[in-house]
Amino acid sequence: MNIIHHGARTGVTGSCHEIRIGNYGLLIDCGLFQGEEGGRLLDIDFPIEHIRALLLTHCHIDHVGRLPWLLAAGFRGPIYATEATAALLPLMLEDGLKIHLGLNKVQCSRFTQLVQQLLKPIPFDCRVELILPSSELVSICFRPAGHILGSAYIELVLPEEGQISHSCGRKVVFSGDLGSSNTPLHVDPQSPEQIDTLVIESTYGNKQHQSVCHRERHLTSLIDRSLKDGGAILIPAFSVGRTQELLFDIENLIAKAMKGISKQVDSTVNWHQLPVILDSPLAMEVTQQYVTFQRLWAKEAKQRVISGRHPLSFEQCVTINQHSDHIALVNRLKATGEPAIVVAASGMCAGGRIMNYLESLLPEPQTDVVMVGYQARGTLGRQLLEQPKSVDINNRRVEVNAAIHSLSGYSAHADQDDLIQFVANIKNGPSQIRIVHGDVAAQEALAQKLAVVKPDCEIIVTASETLD
Ligand SMILES: [Zn+2]
């Protein structure tokens, strides 16, 4: 058995790992390079003739976005993913194809049809056996990772050398992206009982997040203030995961305000009339899938449904689909200055409908912009966090009089403590940990901590590994 990292070895994007079993290989994820790594060639630069299947941990574009290039290189093997990931995948790919490749509707649907034919949706916690041409059996199983809807870590049990069956073979786990603990919508990842080799992400291997309670308090005070002085609250958000967590929290704050049970919420302000606008066709479709897959939600979210609430499709939530409605709304908010919460993509203000809101409303002092996600260098989101006097949007110089806030605690990723806990809770093993999906500093910091909880384990910082 051999593991090769074709992406996400020295950074957080372009996830793509290969596990070699004899003469055959399985790919785990095939993601797009983004941000500082975005300049890398996307053509598949490794042999694929021996690859028997692609296994997807979740549908974020940095884990699935290079799929068009994999198919262009001739891959036609099965694509295994959880049922929810399989449902979200065509939406994510279609959106990505339009943006990155400029494909039209017909070209996009031809491509997604091909992907649908190859997709093999697998329920969580079910074991599936793959038969290699050598007649060897590899068993795979998707376990909840709690990162976004459908996200999984993947357990593989390989055949013992010289044996066909995997009955007592080596167990290898690919973490994919692990979610942070104690979020109300996504379940906490449960560690496997026993592993031999673990390939683990380290996005926040050297950082701790603020607590979920803190994010709720901060959001409440922002909305309170905005209701008093008017103006829009603009929240640039990623369409999958972040948007739904925000909607979920906002619905909860409104419910508390209406019941008058929360001390945090000022009951004199008009919370129950505040429109919450979801202006992103992709986020709308993804949110519908979240509703369809309610059975995968965490306990707290299910509890709210049982008590008769609709955490992701509540009365005050208005969705905007047509582009003309979007333009009309931007103009209306500019003209009236009425309070509203607008959630729109892209999360880093690098395109998407949020750009028109920013262009029109950044000059207004009553506007609040709330950043809830990571803002990469070179993006407008990052620029705004530095509180500039003006910025360039759509080739126009726009004055910034709005208040810019950064709200932490909405990360979909495990922080250092969560990652350590995930490993510490493995009762038996692993004997080897390969740290990926993080910059060198994050990988090294995590390696030091993991060496304490698993002192007998070989820990590899793949970013510093010398390659043959
Ligand atoms: Zn992800």
Side-chain angles (χ1 to χ4, degrees):
M1 188 272 288
N2 189 18
I3 295 174
I4 307 157
H5 307 287
H6 297 300
R9 192 175 69 82
T10 56
V12 298
T13 71
S15 266
C16 186
H17 313 287
E18 178 183 339
I19 182 160
R20 283 265 176 103
I21 308 145
N23 293 327
Y24 304 101
L26 303 174
L27 272 192
I28 290 85
D29 290 337
C30 195
L32 212 61
F33 295 105
Q34 293 169 304
E36 283 182 341
E37 297 178 287
R40 285 184 60 166
L41 259 188
L42 292 170
D43 289 337
I44 300 296
D45 51 0
F46 51 89
I48 60 158
E49 297 72 29
H50 62 291
I51 301 289
R52 307 309 301 178
L54 169 66
L55 319 179
L56 298 178
T57 59
H58 66 290
C59 71
H60 270 151
I61 217 72
D62 61 323
H63 289 256
V64 302
R66 219 173 159 196
L67 200 44
W69 287 268
L70 185 66
L71 296 184
F75 176 78
R76 291 294 182 274
I79 302 172
Y80 292 93
T82 66
E83 294 163 296
T85 297
L88 290 171
L89 188 64
L91 303 176
M92 299 301 291
L93 287 175
E94 215 167 288
D95 192 68
L97 290 172
K98 271 186 231 156
I99 294 169
H100 293 285
L101 293 177
L103 297 193
N104 63 33
K105 233 182 163 147
V106 179
Q107 291 168 315
C108 281
S109 79
R110 217 176 284 149
F111 171 76
T112 48
Q113 269 170 21
L114 175 57
V115 172
Q116 301 267 28
Q117 285 164 17
L118 303 176
L119 257 178
K120 307 252 179 264
I122 309 287
F124 275 112
D125 302 320
C126 279
R127 289 216 157 269
V128 170
E129 292 192 329
L130 309 184
I131 308 171
L132 301 179
S134 54
S135 303
E136 291 172 304
L137 294 178
V138 178
S139 112
I140 58 167
C141 186
F142 291 85
R143 306 280 191 198
H147 169 61
I148 58 165
L149 183 71
S151 66
Y153 67 82
I154 304 177
E155 276 180 15
L156 294 106
V157 187
L158 310 180
E160 278 286 282
E161 214 161 307
Q163 300 207 353
I164 297 290
S165 151
H166 51 69
S167 53
C168 54
R170 198 172 171 82
K171 194 188 261 187
V172 182
V173 165
F174 289 85
S175 76
D177 288 355
L178 293 172
S180 48
S181 58
N182 302 321
T183 59
L185 185 54
H186 299 105
V187 296
D188 290 356
Q190 301 295 320
S191 308
E193 293 259 314
Q194 182 266 324
I195 310 185
D196 294 296
T197 299
L198 171 65
V199 179
I200 190 167
E201 66 124 328
S202 59
T203 316
Y204 289 102
N206 55 352
K207 290 201 175 71
Q208 314 285 1
H209 299 323
Q210 278 176 331
S211 74
V212 170
C213 295
H214 183 273
R215 81 182 192 194
E216 196 176 287
R217 274 201 302 274
H218 196 164
L219 187 60
T220 306
S221 66
L222 279 173
I223 298 174
D224 262 343
R225 224 193 39 219
S226 174
L227 281 165
K228 281 173 192 156
D229 72 358
I233 299 177
L234 305 179
I235 312 183
F238 296 101
S239 305
V240 194
R242 209 69 52 94
T243 291
Q244 292 74 29
E245 290 230 11
L246 274 164
L247 292 180
F248 189 83
D249 274 8
I250 293 168
E251 188 272 345
N252 196 36
L253 295 180
I254 292 171
K256 279 184 182 175
M258 286 174 74
K259 270 193 184 167
I261 54 166
S262 170
K263 290 188 189 86
Q264 300 159 16
V265 177
D266 181 346
S267 57
T268 59
V269 293
N270 232 348
W271 275 74
H272 67 282
Q273 288 176 335
L274 175 71
V276 178
I277 296 152
L278 178 56
D279 192 350
S280 159
L282 176 63
M284 267 168 60
E285 288 185 89
V286 171
T287 305
Q288 275 161 14
Q289 292 298 335
Y290 264 79
V291 175
T292 306
F293 285 97
Q294 257 172 37
R295 61 189 155 87
L296 302 178
W297 293 6
K299 223 172 169 182
E300 191 180 332
K302 283 182 181 165
Q303 210 59 50
R304 285 191 205 169
V305 177
I306 292 167
S307 68
R309 283 164 54 185
H310 302 280
L312 295 181
S313 51
F314 47 99
E315 221 170 279
Q316 278 164 254
C317 184
V318 183
T319 53
I320 306 286
N321 195 358
Q322 297 300 325
H323 196 260
S324 53
D325 293 340
H326 155 71
I327 295 295
L329 183 65
V330 172
N331 293 336
R332 183 174 135 192
L333 292 180
K334 168 102 180 152
T336 63
E338 63 192 284
I341 298 178
V342 179
V343 181
S346 78
M348 294 195 271
C349 310
R353 290 189 176 180
I354 194 71
M355 303 307 276
N356 289 331
Y357 286 102
L358 292 170
E359 185 183 357
S360 292
L361 300 174
L362 278 177
E364 309 300 328
Q366 293 97 329
T367 303
D368 291 279
V369 182
V370 185
M371 302 296 186
V372 291
Y374 182 74
Q375 305 296 320
R377 265 197 296 275
T379 60
L380 177 63
R382 179 66 158 256
Q383 240 183 302
L384 286 171
L385 281 180
E386 283 151 21
Q387 315 278 346
K389 287 204 166 61
S390 63
V391 288
D392 282 325
I393 302 178
N394 299 336
N395 300 320
R396 227 168 58 82
R397 199 79 198 147
V398 176
E399 247 184 81
V400 182
N401 297 315
I404 315 291
H405 315 269
S406 173
L407 190 57
S408 90
Y410 274 97
S411 177
H413 279 276
D415 67 3
Q416 189 188 57
D417 282 349
D418 294 325
L419 293 168
I420 294 167
Q421 213 46 52
F422 183 80
V423 174
N425 288 343
I426 302 166
K427 289 199 186 90
N428 199 341
S431 55
Q432 188 191 63
I433 298 177
R434 304 185 64 84
I435 303 179
V436 296
H437 201 287
D439 60 30
V440 186
Q443 290 194 21
E444 280 174 351
L446 184 63
Q448 274 181 18
K449 297 278 181 184
L450 294 183
V452 178
V453 292
K454 295 287 176 190
D456 301 327
C457 177
E458 179 196 8
I459 298 173
I460 298 163
V461 170
T462 60
S464 336
E465 206 178 15
T466 38
L467 301 178
D468 301 336

